[in-house]
PDB file of all heavy atoms in Angstrom:
ATOM      1  N   GLY O   1      72.151 -91.935  20.230  1.00 92.00           N
ATOM      2  CA  GLY O   1      72.354 -93.201  19.544  1.00 92.00           C
ATOM      3  C   GLY O   1      71.314 -93.558  18.483  1.00 92.00           C
ATOM      4  O   GLY O   1      71.577 -94.266  17.486  1.00 92.00           O
ATOM      5  N   VAL O   2      70.132 -93.018  18.631  1.00 94.00           N
ATOM      6  CA  VAL O   2      69.066 -93.131  17.609  1.00 94.00           C
ATOM      7  C   VAL O   2      68.777 -91.815  16.958  1.00 94.00           C
ATOM      8  O   VAL O   2      68.579 -90.836  17.694  1.00 94.00           O
ATOM      9  CB  VAL O   2      67.805 -93.705  18.247  1.00 94.00           C
ATOM     10  CG1 VAL O   2      66.661 -93.733  17.254  1.00 94.00           C
ATOM     11  CG2 VAL O   2      68.046 -95.009  18.849  1.00 94.00           C
ATOM     12  N   TYR O   3      68.787 -91.780  15.661  1.00 93.00           N
ATOM     13  CA  TYR O   3      68.609 -90.547  14.922  1.00 93.00           C
ATOM     14  C   TYR O   3      67.639 -90.761  13.829  1.00 93.00           C
ATOM     15  O   TYR O   3      67.708 -91.731  13.061  1.00 93.00           O
ATOM     16  CB  TYR O   3      69.999 -90.063  14.360  1.00 93.00           C
ATOM     17  CG  TYR O   3      71.055 -89.940  15.449  1.00 93.00           C
ATOM     18  CD1 TYR O   3      71.885 -91.017  15.690  1.00 93.00           C
ATOM     19  CD2 TYR O   3      71.153 -88.824  16.249  1.00 93.00           C
ATOM     20  CE1 TYR O   3      72.831 -91.025  16.748  1.00 93.00           C
ATOM     21  CE2 TYR O   3      72.159 -88.785  17.235  1.00 93.00           C
ATOM     22  CZ  TYR O   3      72.951 -89.944  17.476  1.00 93.00           C
ATOM     23  OH  TYR O   3      73.887 -89.846  18.514  1.00 93.00           O
ATOM     24  N   TYR O   4      66.702 -89.805  13.636  1.00 91.00           N
ATOM     25  CA  TYR O   4      65.752 -89.843  12.449  1.00 91.00           C
ATOM     26  C   TYR O   4      66.311 -88.984  11.414  1.00 91.00           C
ATOM     27  O   TYR O   4      66.585 -87.810  11.506  1.00 91.00           O
ATOM     28  CB  TYR O   4      64.420 -89.271  13.033  1.00 91.00           C
ATOM     29  CG  TYR O   4      63.684 -90.256  13.912  1.00 91.00           C
ATOM     30  CD1 TYR O   4      63.686 -90.196  15.281  1.00 91.00           C
ATOM     31  CD2 TYR O   4      62.915 -91.338  13.324  1.00 91.00           C
ATOM     32  CE1 TYR O   4      63.085 -91.069  16.118  1.00 91.00           C
ATOM     33  CE2 TYR O   4      62.249 -92.249  14.148  1.00 91.00           C
ATOM     34  CZ  TYR O   4      62.326 -92.065  15.523  1.00 91.00           C
ATOM     35  OH  TYR O   4      61.704 -92.992  16.388  1.00 91.00           O
ATOM     36  N   GLY O   5      66.540 -89.652  10.220  1.00 89.00           N
ATOM     37  CA  GLY O   5      67.206 -88.983   9.172  1.00 89.00           C
ATOM     38  C   GLY O   5      68.685 -88.972   9.354  1.00 89.00           C
ATOM     39  O   GLY O   5      69.214 -89.371  10.459  1.00 89.00           O
ATOM     40  N   ALA O   6      69.366 -88.622   8.296  1.00 87.00           N
ATOM     41  CA  ALA O   6      70.874 -88.598   8.368  1.00 87.00           C
ATOM     42  C   ALA O   6      71.416 -87.489   7.408  1.00 87.00           C
ATOM     43  O   ALA O   6      70.810 -87.275   6.396  1.00 87.00           O
ATOM     44  CB  ALA O   6      71.394 -89.970   8.003  1.00 87.00           C
ATOM     45  N   ALA O   7      72.472 -86.859   7.863  1.00 81.00           N
ATOM     46  CA  ALA O   7      73.078 -85.812   7.045  1.00 81.00           C
ATOM     47  C   ALA O   7      74.566 -85.984   7.068  1.00 81.00           C
ATOM     48  O   ALA O   7      75.168 -86.698   7.831  1.00 81.00           O
ATOM     49  CB  ALA O   7      72.638 -84.446   7.597  1.00 81.00           C
ATOM     50  N   ARG O   8      75.227 -85.199   6.135  1.00 79.00           N
ATOM     51  CA  ARG O   8      76.699 -85.287   6.095  1.00 79.00           C
ATOM     52  C   ARG O   8      77.289 -84.831   7.465  1.00 79.00           C
ATOM     53  O   ARG O   8      78.380 -85.349   7.788  1.00 79.00           O
ATOM     54  CB  ARG O   8      77.226 -84.316   5.019  1.00 79.00           C
ATOM     55  CG  ARG O   8      76.827 -84.771   3.578  1.00 79.00           C
ATOM     56  CD  ARG O   8      77.391 -83.876   2.552  1.00 79.00           C
ATOM     57  NE  ARG O   8      78.904 -83.964   2.529  1.00 79.00           N
ATOM     58  CZ  ARG O   8      79.554 -84.820   1.747  1.00 79.00           C
ATOM     59  NH1 ARG O   8      78.874 -85.721   0.982  1.00 79.00           N
ATOM     60  NH2 ARG O   8      80.849 -84.843   1.736  1.00 79.00           N
ATOM     61  N   SER O   9      76.685 -83.930   8.103  1.00 80.00           N
ATOM     62  CA  SER O   9      77.166 -83.454   9.457  1.00 80.00           C
ATOM     63  C   SER O   9      77.178 -84.593  10.506  1.00 80.00           C
ATOM     64  O   SER O   9      77.726 -84.420  11.497  1.00 80.00           O
ATOM     65  CB  SER O   9      76.350 -82.347   9.960  1.00 80.00           C
ATOM     66  OG  SER O   9      74.992 -82.604  10.043  1.00 80.00           O
ATOM     67  N   ASP O  10      76.519 -85.764  10.226  1.00 86.00           N
ATOM     68  CA  ASP O  10      76.505 -86.862  11.154  1.00 86.00           C
ATOM     69  C   ASP O  10      77.650 -87.792  10.953  1.00 86.00           C
ATOM     70  O   ASP O  10      77.696 -88.812  11.586  1.00 86.00           O
ATOM     71  CB  ASP O  10      75.162 -87.647  10.994  1.00 86.00           C
ATOM     72  CG  ASP O  10      73.931 -86.897  11.469  1.00 86.00           C
ATOM     73  OD1 ASP O  10      74.116 -86.083  12.370  1.00 86.00           O
ATOM     74  OD2 ASP O  10      72.861 -87.005  10.832  1.00 86.00           O
ATOM     75  N   SER O  11      78.584 -87.423  10.059  1.00 84.00           N
ATOM     76  CA  SER O  11      79.706 -88.406   9.841  1.00 84.00           C
ATOM     77  C   SER O  11      80.517 -88.650  10.995  1.00 84.00           C
ATOM     78  O   SER O  11      80.991 -89.703  11.239  1.00 84.00           O
ATOM     79  CB  SER O  11      80.625 -87.822   8.768  1.00 84.00           C
ATOM     80  OG  SER O  11      81.182 -86.518   9.199  1.00 84.00           O
ATOM     81  N   GLY O  12      80.619 -87.683  12.030  1.00 83.00           N
ATOM     82  CA  GLY O  12      81.371 -87.912  13.252  1.00 83.00           C
ATOM     83  C   GLY O  12      80.723 -89.029  14.087  1.00 83.00           C
ATOM     84  O   GLY O  12      81.539 -89.728  14.793  1.00 83.00           O
ATOM     85  N   LEU O  13      79.495 -89.228  13.983  1.00 87.00           N
ATOM     86  CA  LEU O  13      78.808 -90.292  14.738  1.00 87.00           C
ATOM     87  C   LEU O  13      79.262 -91.655  14.239  1.00 87.00           C
ATOM     88  O   LEU O  13      79.189 -92.674  14.968  1.00 87.00           O
ATOM     89  CB  LEU O  13      77.321 -90.174  14.657  1.00 87.00           C
ATOM     90  CG  LEU O  13      76.696 -88.831  15.261  1.00 87.00           C
ATOM     91  CD1 LEU O  13      75.163 -88.783  14.814  1.00 87.00           C
ATOM     92  CD2 LEU O  13      76.869 -88.835  16.770  1.00 87.00           C
ATOM     93  N   ALA O  14      79.539 -91.706  12.950  1.00 88.00           N
ATOM     94  CA  ALA O  14      79.825 -92.969  12.347  1.00 88.00           C
ATOM     95  C   ALA O  14      81.230 -93.428  12.404  1.00 88.00           C
ATOM     96  O   ALA O  14      81.615 -94.620  12.132  1.00 88.00           O
ATOM     97  CB  ALA O  14      79.407 -92.959  10.930  1.00 88.00           C
ATOM     98  N   HIS O  15      82.216 -92.529  12.776  1.00 86.00           N
ATOM     99  CA  HIS O  15      83.644 -92.820  12.724  1.00 86.00           C
ATOM    100  C   HIS O  15      83.934 -94.100  13.616  1.00 86.00           C
ATOM    101  O   HIS O  15      83.722 -94.157  14.748  1.00 86.00           O
ATOM    102  CB  HIS O  15      84.481 -91.696  13.357  1.00 86.00           C
ATOM    103  CG  HIS O  15      84.644 -90.600  12.327  1.00 86.00           C
ATOM    104  ND1 HIS O  15      85.028 -89.263  12.694  1.00 86.00           N
ATOM    105  CD2 HIS O  15      84.574 -90.567  10.894  1.00 86.00           C
ATOM    106  CE1 HIS O  15      85.072 -88.571  11.558  1.00 86.00           C
ATOM    107  NE2 HIS O  15      84.845 -89.329  10.549  1.00 86.00           N
ATOM    108  N   GLY O  16      84.407 -95.144  12.907  1.00 86.00           N
ATOM    109  CA  GLY O  16      84.831 -96.331  13.607  1.00 86.00           C
ATOM    110  C   GLY O  16      83.663 -97.109  14.179  1.00 86.00           C
ATOM    111  O   GLY O  16      83.880 -98.113  14.854  1.00 86.00           O
ATOM    112  N   ALA O  17      82.462 -96.822  13.952  1.00 90.00           N
ATOM    113  CA  ALA O  17      81.299 -97.415  14.558  1.00 90.00           C
ATOM    114  C   ALA O  17      80.674 -98.478  13.574  1.00 90.00           C
ATOM    115  O   ALA O  17      80.834 -98.506  12.349  1.00 90.00           O
ATOM    116  CB  ALA O  17      80.247 -96.467  14.928  1.00 90.00           C
ATOM    117  N   ASP O  18      79.857 -99.357  14.195  1.00 93.00           N
ATOM    118  CA  ASP O  18      79.031-100.278  13.444  1.00 93.00           C
ATOM    119  C   ASP O  18      77.682 -99.597  13.308  1.00 93.00           C
ATOM    120  O   ASP O  18      76.895 -99.526  14.314  1.00 93.00           O
ATOM    121  CB  ASP O  18      78.887-101.595  14.148  1.00 93.00           C
ATOM    122  CG  ASP O  18      80.204-102.366  14.211  1.00 93.00           C
ATOM    123  OD1 ASP O  18      80.828-102.456  13.155  1.00 93.00           O
ATOM    124  OD2 ASP O  18      80.564-102.833  15.343  1.00 93.00           O
ATOM    125  N   VAL O  19      77.344 -99.120  12.160  1.00 95.00           N
ATOM    126  CA  VAL O  19      76.142 -98.328  11.920  1.00 95.00           C
ATOM    127  C   VAL O  19      75.047 -99.160  11.346  1.00 95.00           C
ATOM    128  O   VAL O  19      75.215 -99.952  10.535  1.00 95.00           O
ATOM    129  CB  VAL O  19      76.496 -97.151  10.903  1.00 95.00           C
ATOM    130  CG1 VAL O  19      75.204 -96.397  10.564  1.00 95.00           C
ATOM    131  CG2 VAL O  19      77.540 -96.260  11.505  1.00 95.00           C
ATOM    132  N   PHE O  20      73.884 -98.967  11.952  1.00 97.00           N
ATOM    133  CA  PHE O  20      72.656 -99.639  11.478  1.00 97.00           C
ATOM    134  C   PHE O  20      71.733 -98.552  10.925  1.00 97.00           C
ATOM    135  O   PHE O  20      71.481 -97.459  11.425  1.00 97.00           O
ATOM    136  CB  PHE O  20      71.909-100.416  12.557  1.00 97.00           C
ATOM    137  CG  PHE O  20      72.634-101.647  12.904  1.00 97.00           C
ATOM    138  CD1 PHE O  20      73.833-101.663  13.753  1.00 97.00           C
ATOM    139  CD2 PHE O  20      72.218-102.917  12.458  1.00 97.00           C
ATOM    140  CE1 PHE O  20      74.466-102.839  14.026  1.00 97.00           C
ATOM    141  CE2 PHE O  20      72.904-104.046  12.779  1.00 97.00           C
ATOM    142  CZ  PHE O  20      73.984-104.037  13.593  1.00 97.00           C
ATOM    143  N   ILE O  21      71.105 -98.885   9.770  1.00 97.00           N
ATOM    144  CA  ILE O  21      70.145 -98.021   9.084  1.00 97.00           C
ATOM    145  C   ILE O  21      68.908 -98.769   8.834  1.00 97.00           C
ATOM    146  O   ILE O  21      68.888 -99.888   8.247  1.00 97.00           O
ATOM    147  CB  ILE O  21      70.715 -97.475   7.776  1.00 97.00           C
ATOM    148  CG1 ILE O  21      71.930 -96.647   8.014  1.00 97.00           C
ATOM    149  CG2 ILE O  21      69.626 -96.648   7.022  1.00 97.00           C
ATOM    150  CD1 ILE O  21      72.607 -96.179   6.720  1.00 97.00           C
ATOM    151  N   ILE O  22      67.758 -98.263   9.364  1.00 97.00           N
ATOM    152  CA  ILE O  22      66.382 -98.906   8.996  1.00 97.00           C
ATOM    153  C   ILE O  22      65.734 -98.109   7.856  1.00 97.00           C
ATOM    154  O   ILE O  22      65.556 -96.918   8.027  1.00 97.00           O
ATOM    155  CB  ILE O  22      65.509 -98.832  10.288  1.00 97.00           C
ATOM    156  CG1 ILE O  22      66.217 -99.472  11.497  1.00 97.00           C
ATOM    157  CG2 ILE O  22      64.223 -99.583   9.993  1.00 97.00           C
ATOM    158  CD1 ILE O  22      65.362 -99.389  12.764  1.00 97.00           C
ATOM    159  N   GLY O  23      65.515 -98.767   6.813  1.00 94.00           N
ATOM    160  CA  GLY O  23      64.924 -98.104   5.671  1.00 94.00           C
ATOM    161  C   GLY O  23      65.458 -98.646   4.381  1.00 94.00           C
ATOM    162  O   GLY O  23      66.535 -99.235   4.295  1.00 94.00           O
ATOM    163  N   ALA O  24      64.645 -98.501   3.297  1.00 93.00           N
ATOM    164  CA  ALA O  24      65.037 -98.993   2.043  1.00 93.00           C
ATOM    165  C   ALA O  24      64.770 -98.025   0.876  1.00 93.00           C
ATOM    166  O   ALA O  24      64.692 -98.355  -0.294  1.00 93.00           O
ATOM    167  CB  ALA O  24      64.248-100.270   1.736  1.00 93.00           C
ATOM    168  N   GLY O  25      64.572 -96.676   1.229  1.00 90.00           N
ATOM    169  CA  GLY O  25      64.383 -95.696   0.199  1.00 90.00           C
ATOM    170  C   GLY O  25      65.677 -95.044  -0.192  1.00 90.00           C
ATOM    171  O   GLY O  25      66.773 -95.435   0.218  1.00 90.00           O
ATOM    172  N   ASN O  26      65.603 -94.073  -1.102  1.00 89.00           N
ATOM    173  CA  ASN O  26      66.779 -93.371  -1.639  1.00 89.00           C
ATOM    174  C   ASN O  26      67.589 -92.771  -0.546  1.00 89.00           C
ATOM    175  O   ASN O  26      68.781 -92.743  -0.486  1.00 89.00           O
ATOM    176  CB  ASN O  26      66.440 -92.420  -2.716  1.00 89.00           C
ATOM    177  CG  ASN O  26      66.192 -93.051  -4.038  1.00 89.00           C
ATOM    178  OD1 ASN O  26      66.288 -94.286  -4.164  1.00 89.00           O
ATOM    179  ND2 ASN O  26      65.962 -92.291  -5.053  1.00 89.00           N
ATOM    180  N   SER O  27      66.844 -92.122   0.478  1.00 88.00           N
ATOM    181  CA  SER O  27      67.640 -91.421   1.517  1.00 88.00           C
ATOM    182  C   SER O  27      68.431 -92.448   2.280  1.00 88.00           C
ATOM    183  O   SER O  27      69.565 -92.118   2.657  1.00 88.00           O
ATOM    184  CB  SER O  27      66.603 -90.709   2.442  1.00 88.00           C
ATOM    185  OG  SER O  27      65.943 -89.670   1.725  1.00 88.00           O
ATOM    186  N   ALA O  28      67.885 -93.644   2.650  1.00 93.00           N
ATOM    187  CA  ALA O  28      68.574 -94.655   3.361  1.00 93.00           C
ATOM    188  C   ALA O  28      69.780 -95.128   2.506  1.00 93.00           C
ATOM    189  O   ALA O  28      70.862 -95.335   3.070  1.00 93.00           O
ATOM    190  CB  ALA O  28      67.665 -95.800   3.738  1.00 93.00           C
ATOM    191  N   GLY O  29      69.535 -95.308   1.309  1.00 93.00           N
ATOM    192  CA  GLY O  29      70.657 -95.828   0.432  1.00 93.00           C
ATOM    193  C   GLY O  29      71.795 -94.776   0.341  1.00 93.00           C
ATOM    194  O   GLY O  29      72.976 -95.117   0.419  1.00 93.00           O
ATOM    195  N   GLN O  30      71.505 -93.495   0.147  1.00 91.00           N
ATOM    196  CA  GLN O  30      72.495 -92.462   0.096  1.00 91.00           C
ATOM    197  C   GLN O  30      73.289 -92.388   1.445  1.00 91.00           C
ATOM    198  O   GLN O  30      74.453 -92.242   1.440  1.00 91.00           O
ATOM    199  CB  GLN O  30      71.906 -91.103  -0.236  1.00 91.00           C
ATOM    200  CG  GLN O  30      71.245 -90.941  -1.570  1.00 91.00           C
ATOM    201  CD  GLN O  30      70.184 -89.853  -1.650  1.00 91.00           C
ATOM    202  OE1 GLN O  30      69.798 -89.262  -0.660  1.00 91.00           O
ATOM    203  NE2 GLN O  30      69.706 -89.661  -2.788  1.00 91.00           N
ATOM    204  N   ALA O  31      72.564 -92.489   2.491  1.00 92.00           N
ATOM    205  CA  ALA O  31      73.223 -92.555   3.800  1.00 92.00           C
ATOM    206  C   ALA O  31      74.156 -93.721   3.956  1.00 92.00           C
ATOM    207  O   ALA O  31      75.272 -93.614   4.493  1.00 92.00           O
ATOM    208  CB  ALA O  31      72.188 -92.513   4.966  1.00 92.00           C
ATOM    209  N   ALA O  32      73.708 -94.866   3.560  1.00 95.00           N
ATOM    210  CA  ALA O  32      74.640 -96.041   3.687  1.00 95.00           C
ATOM    211  C   ALA O  32      75.869 -95.907   2.899  1.00 95.00           C
ATOM    212  O   ALA O  32      76.959 -96.221   3.472  1.00 95.00           O
ATOM    213  CB  ALA O  32      73.771 -97.298   3.172  1.00 95.00           C
TER     214      ALA O  32
END
């Protein structure tokens, strides 16, 4: 449930979920 960093391969974790992202850099924005 807690993951450091995020990648395209993590899309399955997000399906239909309420996703929270901690961060305000480019990586966080791209993931959002």
Side-chain angles (χ1 to χ4, degrees):
V2 175
Y3 306 93
Y4 287 96
R8 295 182 68 88
S9 57
D10 293 326
S11 60
L13 299 170
H15 280 160
D18 294 311
V19 174
F20 285 78
I21 298 173
I22 306 177
N26 279 4
S27 294
Q30 291 159 356

